[in-house]
Amino acid sequence: MDTVMLTTSVDNDPCKFMVTAGKNNEKYILKARKRSIRDAWVKEIQNLLASQLLEVKSALQLRRQISPGMFSPPVQSPVPLSERKSKSATLPILPRTASQASIGLS
């Protein structure tokens, strides 16, 4: 995700502001005809960036709530061993766990 930054004062000029964006931190210096126009642009960009930040934070929170179950290790098949042997060509071979090895299961 690229970072976007807003600098509200450039060269002590009340009509200039700067937007820095992209992977290479490209800088765009903009100059309005009047300070009131610059202030309107700055306010609008600040609101836009703030709303995007809230959306990203919400998405990250949602991802944290959902993801613990999504990335848990796979559970062994609930198919009984006798049925698993008869269909071994269609089921994946799962690695043996330590408890299976100690009681002789394969």
Side-chain angles (χ1 to χ4, degrees):
M1 181 183 321
D2 290 338
T3 302
V4 177
M5 295 181 290
L6 176 66
T7 304
T8 58
S9 176
V10 177
D11 301 331
N12 292 324
D13 186 332
C15 295
K16 285 185 180 179
F17 65 99
M18 180 171 61
V19 176
T20 307
K23 294 177 184 174
N24 298 326
N25 288 326
E26 298 160 353
K27 296 179 182 186
Y28 302 93
I29 296 176
L30 302 142
K31 183 172 182 174
R33 279 188 247 141
K34 297 189 290 185
R35 183 180 183 147
S36 60
I37 295 172
R38 182 207 65 114
D39 291 346
W41 272 100
V42 166
K43 184 178 178 183
E44 191 66 29
I45 293 170
Q46 286 173 331
N47 290 339
L48 178 66
L49 293 176
S51 68
Q52 288 179 349
L53 178 62
L54 288 175
E55 287 178 23
V56 168
K57 283 183 176 182
S58 296
L60 287 174
Q61 281 181 332
L62 182 60
R63 184 181 224 167
R64 281 190 212 118
Q65 292 171 356
I66 293 173
S67 66
M70 292 177 65
F71 297 105
S72 10
V75 178
Q76 268 194 314
S77 172
V79 177
L81 186 59
S82 60
E83 290 180 31
R84 207 179 317 156
K85 283 184 179 178
S86 65
K87 298 179 182 179
S88 62
T90 58
L91 293 175
I93 298 173
L94 300 174
R96 292 174 33 172
T97 63
S99 60
Q100 289 173 329
S102 66
I103 58 174
L105 295 176
S106 55

